[in-house]
Amino acid sequence: MVVDGERFEVTERAGEPGVYDLLWVSGPHEGYGFTSSTDGGDVQTDAVLEDAVRNFLIQVDRRTGYID
């Protein structure tokens, strides 16, 4: 998934409906990303995941590449 020029690998966790791991592939730190989940295990649409990515990116300190 590409959001605002940043690439993320999105994986739904096996056996955990509604839980998605998003790996920041184009980010400065290998293996860094976040998890997004829903109450009740609902499938997340691309639009919802894009919003989650934008919320993540807003929190990242551009100097360090991490959420402080």
Side-chain angles (χ1 to χ4, degrees), residues 26-46:
S26 61
H29 305 290
E30 186 176 335
Y32 193 60
F34 69 102
T35 298
S36 180
S37 63
T38 60
D39 291 331
D42 294 334
V43 172
Q44 293 188 45
T45 64
D46 285 347

Side-chain angles (χ1 to χ4, degrees), residues 25 39 53 57-58 60 63:
V25 177
D39 291 331
V53 167
L57 291 172
I58 287 169
V60 171
R63 290 177 299 114

Side-chain angles (χ1 to χ4, degrees), residues 48-61:
V48 169
L49 290 170
E50 287 175 13
D51 285 343
V53 167
R54 285 190 179 99
N55 288 331
F56 168 80
L57 291 172
I58 287 169
Q59 298 176 65
V60 171
D61 182 322

